[in-house]
Amino acid sequence: MSTTSPTADTETGSPHVIDRDRLTDPSGPRRVIVAAMMVVGAVAGALVTAASAATALRLAGVPDAGALTTYGVPVVTAVGQLSAAIGFGGAMFAAFFVPPQRGGHLDVGGFRAIRWTYAAMLVWAICALAMIPLTISNVSGFSLTETLQPDHLVTAYSQVADAKYWLWTAIFALLAAVLARAALKWGWTFVILALAFLSLMPSALAGHSSAGGGHDVATNSLILHIVAAAAWVGGLLVVLAYSFGDGRWRVLAVRRYSRVAFWCLIVVGISGVVNALVRMPIEQLFTTTYGLIVVGKLSAFVVAAAIGGVHRRITITELEATDEPRKSLFVRFAAVELIVFAIAFGFAAGLARTPPPDLATTDVSPMALKIGYDLDGPPTLARLLFDWRFDLIFGTAALIAAAVYLRGVWRLRKRGDSWPVGRTVAWLLGCLSLLVATSSGLGRYGPALFSTHMMAHMMLTMLVPVLLVLGGPMTLALRAIPPAGRGNPDGPREWILTGLHSKYSKIVTHPAVVVVVFVGSFYVLYLGGLFDVVVDHHSAHLLMNLHFLISGYLFYWLVIGIDPAPRETTHVAKLGVVLGALPFHAFFGVALMMTTALIAEKYYESLQHPWALDLAADQRVGGGIAWATGEFPLVIVMLALLVQWRRQDEKVARRFDRKEARDEDAELEAYNQMLRGMGAPTPAEHETPTDEETGAAAAASETGSGETDR
């Protein structure tokens, strides 16, 4: 039975009822391409597994679980990850590649893409659930039939970490599918995109990259690799499907996708090379099964990159000129590129089934097993300053943020506009502080020492956000990015304004919410026992750093931000927020210094530090750092707020004086007229009397006084 939605069809320009079944039917070439991708990916994964199965069993040291498990793992993985890429690309397409209708509803192209996301994420969830028994069977060596027995499955699930990761994948994918099935508004596409992104994370945090030495670099590189590959492949498929449907904004969608694909190409290439080098020496590239699979995957990447280059140079221009987009060169090249991508995904699925050669020979210390690397000795000033280990996530983010900001400033200067130097300096110092906190000795020693972790935490919460807020990035973006123009689809500038004025931004920037998140997270994380639970996971360290940055940025944006804010907050309210946060933050530092229970004691003991370490003393040092480095920035912020308050009053006074000068004191004259109408003395009547008036008044007073005496 057909269901309908009463929205306007912006591709024809006339409002009418949209037939949902017609929009979501992937008939014709689209269905053929998707089916071909799944088959090719599954076959590639199976072939790679056939070539490496014996090596995998020998290195893993487990019995053969049977052909169903051996080939089921790569086949289900390839189909699932291709589906995840399609779902991620569909949400990205609906959010950024085609504009919504004026009322905020998705247009036909966006609605089609979201329904593609619904179907793809549902398949991804099913594949993730299927991977739970397959993973347990693969790890234990029991056949799939034995593994599926309820008592065996429940017992093994609690012992196999990868099975838990697959369950989380299924949960996020299912949530994304449910929202995509019901979404009609453009704003929901961002929630769906976030859930699709989260569904990709567990697979990046499991497997080879999460184990052994160097797993911090390997995991971070795999996160970048998976997300960029999903955006590249999924975006291309949905853009291709949109071109098959003769979408009105097909040229716009292709151009926007082309920009995204260019950066995805760079990220996929660099992150793939980094991940492979962490897992194996370069001399083993052509001498081991694992290395040959990497070479095959790299070859597929090179072919896909070459086809992408043809897209940018030839097919986009040809697509603009053709009246039959289904027969364009873009469609043909895109179809071939998708098949190449499917082969690469199959290689990746088979690669996950093949243990790297160094896992069988490398003797990993307990510390390297936990945090990914060894430490040479106790932290000294020289080591904290110069013993660097680049963070691929936050270090890269710091460099990109600095480069993008400088590009915006350069664009303003190029057209003759000015931008305060102080703001540029503040932003660059903030980026440098982020780089130091995550990639210098602070970031290197942070996972191993509570005191160093707290120092990096304070930088990410107290210092970096202050400097970034003072840089005014949103103001710069709104000035540097040209507006879309009347009648044109929205662009980045309009997206920023929409985000600033949304009701969700007003909620997250409410003073009560900001203070609770900023201060309350200290108590929940460290004194509430959450840190003990999550400290052993690399993903938790990434989430903690991200939370520190976001909570600090929201707090200081509300208090001293120079960017436009979603809600107007008076200076009295801002001062109240700072004064309210000060005692709670001070009490946290004191409580941390006085507590006798050791935080994450088992974790720090399991690291087996190569030097003598008093965990209690180190924790007291961390509490002192939290108290000292937390109060000083808040006091500075309060002083800065008072200065801003005074300057704002001066601006208001100068603005009033200029207005009165232009209007010849019209407001004052109107006020005097009101007082005359009320019978009250006007300000003019209170002017200073002249000398003659003063003398006459004195004489009258003396005369009156004498008569009274008589």
Side-chain angles (χ1 to χ4, degrees):
M1 181 177 180
S2 176
T3 56
T4 59
S5 175
T7 55
D9 184 355
T10 56
E11 295 186 9
T12 61
S14 59
H16 68 279
V17 175
I18 296 178
D19 188 336
R20 292 192 182 194
D21 292 341
R22 175 179 66 84
L23 293 179
T24 56
D25 180 21
S27 59
R30 289 172 286 183
R31 175 178 292 177
V32 173
I33 291 175
V34 173
M37 290 177 62
M38 299 301 175
V39 171
V40 169
V43 170
L47 291 176
V48 169
T49 300
S52 61
T55 304
L57 291 175
R58 178 175 56 82
L59 292 178
V62 296
D64 188 356
L68 195 58
T69 296
T70 300
Y71 294 100
V73 170
V75 168
V76 175
T77 301
V79 172
Q81 289 182 347
L82 283 170
S83 301
I86 295 172
F88 187 80
M92 183 176 63
F93 181 94
F96 300 111
F97 290 177
V98 292
Q101 301 180 48
R102 291 184 179 179
H105 286 83
L106 294 169
D107 76 331
V108 172
F111 188 80
R112 282 197 186 106
I114 282 298
R115 297 310 293 269
W116 275 66
T117 297
Y118 155 68
M121 297 310 293
L122 188 60
V123 174
W124 178 220
I126 295 172
C127 290
L129 290 175
M131 283 298 297
I132 295 176
L134 284 171
T135 300
I136 294 174
S137 174
N138 184 52
V139 171
S140 64
F142 290 101
S143 67
L144 186 61
T145 304
E146 293 176 303
T147 304
L148 287 173
Q149 295 178 3
D151 55 341
H152 188 186
L153 186 62
V154 172
T155 303
Y157 172 80
S158 61
Q159 300 174 355
V160 180
D162 288 1
K164 299 176 183 178
Y165 282 117
W166 283 116
L167 180 60
W168 278 109
T169 298
I171 292 173
F172 289 130
L174 190 59
L175 289 174
V178 170
L179 286 182
R181 182 65 178 85
L184 290 175
K185 285 278 193 175
W186 177 64
W188 283 104
T189 60
F190 297 97
V191 181
I192 298 169
L193 184 62
L195 289 172
F197 170 82
L198 290 175
S199 73
L200 298 172
M201 290 300 99
S203 58
L205 298 170
H208 302 155
S209 295
S210 63
H215 70 77
D216 59 324
V217 177
T219 301
N220 289 346
S221 63
L222 191 58
I223 290 174
L224 297 174
H225 190 78
I226 289 178
V227 174
W232 193 358
V233 178
L236 178 60
L237 178 62
V238 179
V239 169
L240 177 61
Y242 187 63
S243 298
F244 269 126
D246 299 343
R248 175 188 176 189
W249 305 107
R250 62 180 182 275
V251 175
L252 173 70
V254 172
R255 288 194 175 277
R256 288 182 174 178
Y257 166 75
S258 179
R259 297 189 187 98
V260 172
F262 172 76
W263 292 108
C264 288
L265 183 151
I266 295 176
V267 174
V268 168
I270 296 176
S271 60
V273 171
V274 170
N275 192 271
L277 291 177
V278 171
R279 298 272 56 87
M280 59 177 297
I282 193 170
E283 59 269 14
Q284 295 181 344
L285 196 61
F286 296 97
T287 60
T288 61
T289 303
Y290 192 91
L292 292 175
I293 299 173
V294 170
V295 171
K297 186 180 175 184
L298 179 62
S299 301
F301 164 76
V302 172
V303 173
I307 297 175
V310 174
H311 275 313
R312 295 181 63 87
R313 292 179 177 272
I314 300 175
T315 61
I316 296 179
T317 304
E318 189 265 347
L319 182 65
E320 293 178 340
T322 184
D323 294 329
E324 297 185 33
R326 299 188 184 190
K327 299 180 181 179
S328 65
L329 287 175
F330 168 76
V331 169
R332 299 172 186 176
F333 274 93
V336 175
E337 187 176 2
L338 286 171
I339 298 301
V340 175
F341 275 129
I343 296 174
F345 271 65
F347 282 174
L351 196 66
R353 183 72 173 78
T354 307
D358 66 337
L359 290 183
T361 59
T362 302
D363 184 17
V364 182
S365 68
M367 179 174 288
L369 190 63
K370 288 284 186 178
I371 67 176
Y373 49 88
D374 289 311
L375 296 174
D376 298 329
T380 61
L381 181 60
R383 286 181 175 139
L384 292 179
L385 291 177
F386 304 110
D387 192 4
W388 282 55
R389 186 177 181 87
F390 186 74
D391 189 309
L392 285 177
I393 302 294
F394 294 99
T396 303
L399 297 179
I400 292 176
V404 171
Y405 191 95
L406 290 176
R407 177 175 172 79
V409 174
W410 174 79
R411 181 175 291 184
L412 285 183
R413 297 292 176 86
K414 185 179 179 181
R415 73 185 188 201
D417 294 337
S418 61
W419 182 255
V421 176
R423 295 184 183 180
T424 303
V425 172
W427 180 267
L428 294 180
L429 287 177
C431 294
L432 178 61
S433 300
L434 175 59
L435 182 64
V436 170
T438 57
S439 298
S440 71
L442 290 177
R444 186 180 180 93
Y445 277 82
L449 290 172
F450 184 80
S451 58
T452 314
H453 163 81
M454 189 58 65
M455 191 180 303
H457 176 177
M458 290 298 106
M459 286 188 66
L460 294 174
T461 306
M462 297 292 182
L463 177 61
V464 177
V466 171
L467 295 171
L468 295 182
V469 163
L470 293 177
M474 281 180 283
T475 302
L476 175 63
L478 292 175
R479 289 185 58 187
I481 301 174
R486 185 182 300 274
N488 295 324
D490 290 345
R493 189 177 189 277
E494 288 70 28
W495 297 336
I496 294 174
L497 291 174
T498 300
L500 284 174
H501 297 145
S502 68
K503 59 182 179 181
Y504 306 104
S505 298
K506 293 182 179 180
I507 293 174
V508 299
T509 56
H510 190 281
V513 175
V514 169
V515 172
V516 169
V517 173
F518 180 70
V519 179
S521 59
F522 288 85
Y523 291 86
V524 174
L525 181 61
Y526 298 109
L527 301 181
L530 181 60
F531 188 77
D532 299 66
V533 177
V534 303
V535 68
D536 200 21
H537 303 280
H538 179 72
S539 58
H541 289 277
L542 296 177
L543 290 175
M544 280 190 290
N545 288 344
L546 182 63
H547 172 77
F548 298 154
L549 286 172
I550 293 177
S551 61
Y553 191 94
L554 289 176
F555 181 83
Y556 294 114
W557 182 22
L558 173 68
V559 174
I560 59 172
I562 57 179
D563 280 329
R567 58 170 65 246
E568 291 292 335
T569 306
T570 64
H571 285 85
V572 175
K574 293 179 180 179
L575 184 60
V577 168
V578 177
L579 293 176
L582 274 172
F584 288 102
H585 197 281
F587 179 77
F588 164 76
V590 174
L592 196 59
M593 286 188 292
M594 296 180 62
T595 184
T596 56
L598 292 179
I599 299 175
E601 180 180 6
K602 292 183 179 180
Y603 167 77
Y604 288 115
E605 287 180 348
S606 68
L607 297 180
Q608 299 182 19
H609 298 79
W611 67 90
L613 177 64
D614 186 345
L615 294 180
D618 186 67
Q619 183 171 301
R620 288 193 295 271
V621 172
I625 291 172
W627 175 76
T629 60
E631 296 310 297
F632 181 73
L634 285 177
V635 173
I636 298 299
V637 166
M638 185 169 61
L639 295 176
L641 175 60
L642 294 175
V643 172
Q644 288 184 353
W645 194 351
R646 179 180 62 81
R647 290 180 178 177
Q648 182 65 25
D649 288 342
E650 292 176 352
K651 288 181 180 179
V652 172
R654 288 196 298 269
R655 189 182 305 117
F656 179 80
D657 292 341
R658 289 195 299 268
K659 180 178 178 298
E660 288 298 293
R662 290 195 303 268
D663 298 342
E664 297 182 353
D665 293 335
E667 187 171 337
L668 178 61
E669 183 60 29
Y671 177 68
N672 290 337
Q673 289 290 346
M674 181 190 70
L675 292 180
R676 294 189 189 99
M678 297 172 58
T682 66
E685 296 175 359
H686 293 283
E687 294 176 357
T688 304
T690 61
D691 294 340
E692 292 80 0
E693 291 173 338
T694 302
S701 175
E702 291 175 0
T703 305
S705 174
E707 292 176 354
T708 301
D709 292 340
R710 287 193 298 269

